Amino acid sequence: MLGKIKIKIVIVALIAILITLMSQATLAYYSFVGKSTNVVTSGNIQFLIHETTDQGKEFPEEGVYIVPGNVVSKKVSIESDCGHPFYLRVKMLYGVESQELSSEDCFKLNINEEYWKLHDGWYYYTGIVNPGETTPDVFSHVEIVGSKVDNSYLGKTLTLTVKAQAVQSENNPITDGNTYNASGWPAE
């Protein structure tokens, strides 16, 4: 009788093992896990800032020697170097030996206001820069304000840095014609 009980226990254990294995296969069948990879590639906006003189030569990297009251030829334009159209803005940063200046301190620029509109310290190009296009000059001359540049500036280096930013214009409409209202401008 003891043998019959052992056989029954073994049979019950085998049945339990079979039920467990079958239920796991069934659970695996009904709970299949898959993985999908979706690749989204965004457009790449690239541009070149051109700084030239009236003669069409590159503006000297080492700068130019100035005298108060001088008008220096410096044309600044931006060229699209990508396959996507974009909105563009530029900002001029002025300084003297690690010290920030305001534009009125030393420089006077002749901004091309037909194509560039000032808003919140940035000059926004009023159109879209299409692939391969170059914008009209942001400015073409820099006047060194004689009444502001006194002897305290002797031997110092004045700097004028042009900073530019762009956002895509594709699927980024502006309704009022002001490119500064486009979405996506980076925070300063």
Side-chain angles (χ1 to χ4, degrees):
M1 187 140 150
L2 199 53
K4 286 185 181 182
I5 294 177
K6 285 184 181 181
I7 292 176
K8 286 183 183 179
I9 291 175
V10 170
I11 291 176
V12 170
L14 286 175
I15 291 174
I17 290 172
L18 285 174
I19 290 173
T20 302
L21 289 174
M22 289 174 58
S23 67
Q24 285 180 347
T26 304
L27 283 175
Y29 177 74
Y30 287 112
S31 65
F32 176 76
V33 175
K35 182 178 178 181
S36 175
T37 303
N38 297 303
V39 177
V40 177
T41 304
S42 61
N44 187 7
I45 297 175
Q46 295 178 335
F47 55 82
L48 304 168
I49 299 175
H50 295 291
E51 297 180 320
T52 59
T53 65
D54 281 341
Q55 293 79 33
K57 296 179 183 177
E58 241 181 76
F59 193 81
E61 210 173 295
E62 67 279 358
V64 294
Y65 179 78
I66 59 163
V67 175
N70 274 12
V71 175
V72 178
S73 168
K74 182 173 178 143
K75 294 182 172 195
V76 174
S77 61
I78 291 87
E79 175 186 6
S80 170
D81 191 30
C82 65
H84 299 279
F86 55 82
Y87 301 117
L88 179 70
R89 69 182 183 177
V90 297
K91 185 176 199 173
M92 278 56 83
L93 305 171
Y94 310 93
V96 59
E97 298 193 2
S98 304
Q99 177 185 3
E100 191 174 317
L101 300 171
S102 71
S103 61
E104 297 81 29
D105 284 339
C106 299
F107 301 100
K108 182 178 178 188
L109 307 176
N110 68 325
I111 300 294
N112 181 346
E113 293 178 357
E114 181 179 351
Y115 296 102
W116 298 92
K117 302 294 179 205
L118 180 63
H119 180 74
D120 291 338
W122 290 85
Y123 286 94
Y124 290 79
Y125 181 58
T126 58
I128 293 173
V129 182
N130 289 303
E133 286 184 349
T134 300
T135 66
D137 295 334
V138 181
F139 59 88
S140 60
H141 295 88
V142 179
E143 180 184 342
I144 309 307
V145 181
S147 61
K148 300 286 185 172
V149 181
D150 56 22
N151 287 339
S152 65
Y153 291 95
L154 277 174
K156 294 187 178 178
T157 301
L158 298 174
T159 59
L160 169 60
T161 305
V162 177
K163 178 180 177 179
Q165 295 178 339
V167 295
Q168 72 180 40
S169 61
E170 297 167 302
N171 300 316
N172 192 3
I174 52 172
T175 56
D176 61 0
N178 293 315
T179 56
Y180 57 80
N181 285 327
S183 296
W185 290 114
E188 289 191 62

